[in-house]
């Protein structure tokens, strides 16, 4: 059974560009959450989606947006990239109270 | 407020027990989690405990919860070199209909042969 998958695995962008990160949850999981993990720190919550609706939003600027599709996969979009957006972006899917994480997308902004 | 605190480093000898400690602030947390992250890898859920429990054991892992002091610990028995990783404590934070995981900074566990 496939776990949470994310694409791409690595990405290099320049300041001002935008990026779209993708996540496919575990089959049967209806909730997807996005986290940003800067090197040396714990993950910071960005968004949670459940049944295509936003259920939670962390303290991130409006440059960050996300959506969930009918098949429960999700996209995270970041506009006007800044150097400080360089991080590992983690997606987690959940059915109940356990969150299972994908391997992450490593974004580098130059 | 939302805050989870952990000590940043722990070094143990192979075969000894490791104890990683965590304190949290949200008294309404229903679940508390321990995740493991190896270098360059994603987060692996190790175990979690419901807030009405004070202990949970799962093979080499023992979780202790002191709800009064808002203190959580993870004990790894017979620590192996493969246990070297960063261990994150996380709590579920509730705000209205929103639920999110609040994370500590992680404890880096080094296991010496």
């Amino acid at each position: 059974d496939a776990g949470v998958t994310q694409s791409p695995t690595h990405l290099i962008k320049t300041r001002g560009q935008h990026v779209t990160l993708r996540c496919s949850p575990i089959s049967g999981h209806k909730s997807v959450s996005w986290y940003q993990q800067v090197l040396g720190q714990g993950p910071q919550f960005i968004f949670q989606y459940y049944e295509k609706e936003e259920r939670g939003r962390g303290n991130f600027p409006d440059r960050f947006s996300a959506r969930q599709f009918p098949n429960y996969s999700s996209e995270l979009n970041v506009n006007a990239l800044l150097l400080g957006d360089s991080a590992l972006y983690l997606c987690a899917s959940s059915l109940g109270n356990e969150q299972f994480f994908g391997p992450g997308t490593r974004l580098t902004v130059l | 407020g939302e805050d989870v605190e952990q000590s940043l480093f722990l070094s143990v000898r192979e075969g000894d027990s490791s104890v990683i400690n965590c304190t949290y602030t949200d008294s309404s947390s229903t679940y508390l989690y321990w995740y493991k992250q190896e270098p360059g890898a994603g987060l692996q859920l190790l175990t979690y405990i419901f807030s009405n429990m004070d202990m949970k054991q799962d093979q080499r892992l023992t979780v202790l919860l002191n709800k009064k002091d808002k203190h959580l610990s993870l004990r790894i028995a017979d620590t192996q070199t493969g246990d070297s990783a960063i261990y994150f404590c996380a709590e579920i934070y509730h705000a209205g209909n929103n639920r999110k995981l609040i994370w500590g900074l992680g404890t880096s566990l080094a296991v010496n042969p």
Side-chain angles (χ1 to χ4, degrees):
Chain A
D1 214 6
V4 179
T5 59
Q6 292 185 243
S7 63
T9 53
H10 295 83
L11 201 52
I12 299 175
K13 291 283 190 178
T14 55
R15 280 178 296 174
Q17 287 188 308
H18 71 271
V19 68
T20 298
L21 310 180
R22 295 178 176 84
C23 171
S24 291
I26 291 170
S27 177
H29 287 195
K30 298 181 179 180
S31 178
V32 169
S33 298
W34 287 96
Y35 293 83
Q36 180 196 65
Q37 187 180 21
V38 173
L39 198 61
Q41 296 188 18
Q44 294 291 315
F45 172 75
I46 311 176
F47 288 110
Q48 184 193 25
Y49 275 78
Y50 177 76
E51 290 277 17
K52 297 175 288 179
E53 291 197 0
E54 183 183 300
R55 282 292 183 91
R57 174 184 279 258
N59 296 325
F60 280 81
D62 292 343
R63 299 184 296 108
F64 288 76
S65 63
R67 55 181 175 164
Q68 187 176 31
F69 299 98
N71 66 354
Y72 303 114
S73 66
S74 178
E75 282 183 355
L76 174 71
N77 294 285
V78 187
N79 292 324
L81 284 166
L82 303 174
L83 295 179
D85 295 331
S86 295
L88 180 68
Y89 287 84
L90 294 160
C91 171
S93 79
S94 58
L95 187 60
N97 290 297
E98 297 179 37
Q99 290 199 359
F100 297 91
F101 283 79
T105 294
R106 171 78 57 192
L107 172 65
T108 303
V109 182
L110 302 175
Chain B
E2 327 155 10
D3 199 14
V4 174
E5 294 189 357
Q6 301 177 237
S7 51
L8 294 182
F9 300 101
L10 177 65
S11 180
V12 300
R13 205 178 295 182
E14 190 174 14
D16 288 350
S17 292
S18 309
V19 179
I20 303 171
N21 295 301
C22 168
T23 57
Y24 60 97
T25 55
D26 184 8
S27 57
S28 66
S29 285
T30 50
Y31 287 90
L32 296 123
Y33 301 82
W34 284 104
Y35 281 85
K36 176 183 179 183
Q37 189 173 38
E38 295 179 84
L43 289 153
Q44 175 194 353
L45 176 63
L46 285 178
T47 187
Y48 64 96
I49 189 167
F50 188 49
S51 59
N52 69 352
M53 298 167 65
D54 51 19
M55 187 183 94
K56 181 178 179 182
Q57 187 151 4
D58 184 0
Q59 298 182 332
R60 292 191 297 121
L61 304 178
T62 303
V63 179
L64 295 177
L65 174 60
N66 181 327
K67 215 175 167 197
K68 174 176 164 288
D69 295 338
K70 296 180 194 160
H71 182 265
L72 183 73
S73 69
L74 173 70
R75 178 177 181 270
I76 306 172
D78 186 24
T79 313
Q80 303 298 306
T81 53
D83 295 324
S84 294
I86 299 177
Y87 290 81
F88 289 95
C89 166
E91 63 164 340
I92 281 193
Y93 176 77
H94 297 85
N97 287 329
N98 294 336
R99 290 192 317 174
K100 58 182 179 180
L101 279 178
I102 305 297
W103 299 74
L105 291 179
T107 299
S108 180
L109 174 64
V111 182
N112 305 306

